[in-house]
Amino acid sequence: MKVNVQAVNFAVDSKLVGFIQERMDRLEKYYDKIVSSDVFLKVEKTSDKENKIVEIKIHVPGDDLMVKKQCKTFEEAVELTAESLERLLVKRKEKINAHI
C-alpha cells in the first residue's frame, strides 16, 4: 500500500516513517482493497504532555476513512489510530459481505 507521510512544521526521521509504513501494511490483512493512505503528524504547542497528533486517512473504493488520535509519542498515536482503523475496516468488510 502506498503510504504518504506528511509532518507539519517539523522534519520526520526515517525510523518513524518505517514504523508507520510497517504498521499501515498490516491493515491490508483486514481489508485488501485499500488504495492508499495519508498520515499527518502534528505537534500541538501546549504545556500538555499529550501533544503529538496523528491523523490517518485511508482511501478505499467508494469511501475515505479518517481517524485522529492524540498521545505522548507518535508511535503510540500511530498504534492507537491503526487499531481504530482495523475495527473500521473489519466492520466495512462485514457490511459488504452481508450484501453479497
Side-chain angles (χ1 to χ4, degrees):
M1 167 193 357
K2 184 180 178 299
V3 178
N4 181 18
V5 178
Q6 296 177 353
V8 180
N9 297 332
F10 70 97
V12 62
D13 70 330
S14 58
K15 230 192 300 184
L16 182 58
V17 172
F19 173 78
I20 292 169
Q21 177 73 52
E22 184 184 306
R23 190 62 185 95
M24 296 306 290
D25 285 342
R26 279 195 268 161
L27 290 177
E28 291 186 313
K29 196 167 43 176
Y30 300 94
Y31 192 75
D32 56 358
K33 292 179 177 68
I34 300 171
V35 178
S36 67
S37 61
D38 296 318
V39 180
F40 299 97
L41 306 173
K42 299 174 190 165
V43 179
E44 208 173 58
K45 287 187 172 79
T46 61
S47 58
D48 195 15
K49 291 218 186 307
E50 293 192 356
N51 65 343
K52 311 285 190 299
I53 300 172
V54 173
E55 239 175 86
I56 300 180
K57 187 176 191 178
I58 288 191
H59 306 284
V60 291
D63 206 5
D64 286 350
L65 304 172
M66 182 132 179
V67 177
K68 180 179 181 179
K69 297 283 182 197
Q70 188 168 345
C71 294
K72 289 179 185 169
T73 65
F74 283 121
E75 289 81 2
E76 184 185 2
V78 167
E79 198 61 45
L80 289 173
T81 311
E83 286 170 11
S84 293
L85 285 166
E86 285 170 10
R87 287 191 295 276
L88 284 172
L89 290 169
V90 166
K91 219 184 279 183
R92 181 181 175 81
K93 193 175 186 178
E94 286 170 356
K95 200 164 117 182
I96 289 172
N97 287 344
H99 290 294
I100 296 174

